[in-house]
Amino acid sequence: MGTCHCSRCRKVGASTIVFVKKEDLKWVEGKEHVKMFQPEEPYKYERSFCTICGTSLGEILSDMDSFPIAANTLDSGLEIKNSFHEFVDEKPDWYEICDDAKQSKGHPDT
């Protein structure tokens, strides 16, 4: 789990993300209602969203082996804690980071 402070993630309400292994994701229903937004350069990461309720889903339609989804979309609690903050230079002044998680100016190295 990590928090991205870039303006794109903040604007779609998907700043805190959880990485999921593709093999662990099981669709129960509704995949047909998920669409992909392709950003313009210089951004490269596609964003998925529900066409019914508009919820931002991160990269849930990704073909990668592991991908981020928005933590706020999960109904159950998580037994993990935030492990990183990325794009901290884009963090708004009103937001204060209040944990000891690793911070980076861009994507973390690990």
Side-chain angles (χ1 to χ4, degrees):
M1 173 185 274
T3 300
C4 181
H5 298 281
C6 81
S7 61
R8 288 186 66 224
C9 286
R10 289 192 330 265
K11 288 178 182 174
V12 297
S15 301
T16 302
I17 53 178
V18 178
F19 286 85
V20 175
K21 292 180 182 175
K22 185 173 186 162
E23 64 196 41
D24 292 338
L25 178 68
K26 305 291 185 247
W27 285 93
V28 177
E29 63 180 297
K31 186 175 181 180
E32 70 277 9
H33 300 295
V34 177
K35 300 295 180 209
M36 188 76 76
F37 171 76
Q38 179 66 48
E40 294 182 13
E41 298 267 343
Y43 301 108
K44 60 182 179 178
Y45 295 107
E46 298 171 334
R47 306 295 176 126
S48 300
F49 64 95
C50 175
T51 60
I52 302 295
C53 68
T55 298
S56 177
L57 301 169
E59 298 172 41
I60 201 165
L61 294 179
S62 175
D63 289 331
M64 303 295 289
D65 292 335
S66 175
F67 48 84
I69 63 171
N72 59 317
T73 64
L74 302 172
D75 291 331
S76 60
L78 297 173
E79 296 181 16
I80 59 176
K81 294 188 180 211
N82 207 45
S83 63
F84 67 88
H85 292 271
E86 61 183 8
F87 295 95
V88 295
D89 288 351
E90 294 185 40
K91 176 186 75 58
D93 292 338
W94 52 261
Y95 184 83
E96 183 178 343
I97 295 174
C98 298
D99 61 29
D100 295 330
K102 180 181 174 183
Q103 297 181 24
S104 61
K105 291 183 178 187
H107 292 294
D109 295 331
T110 56

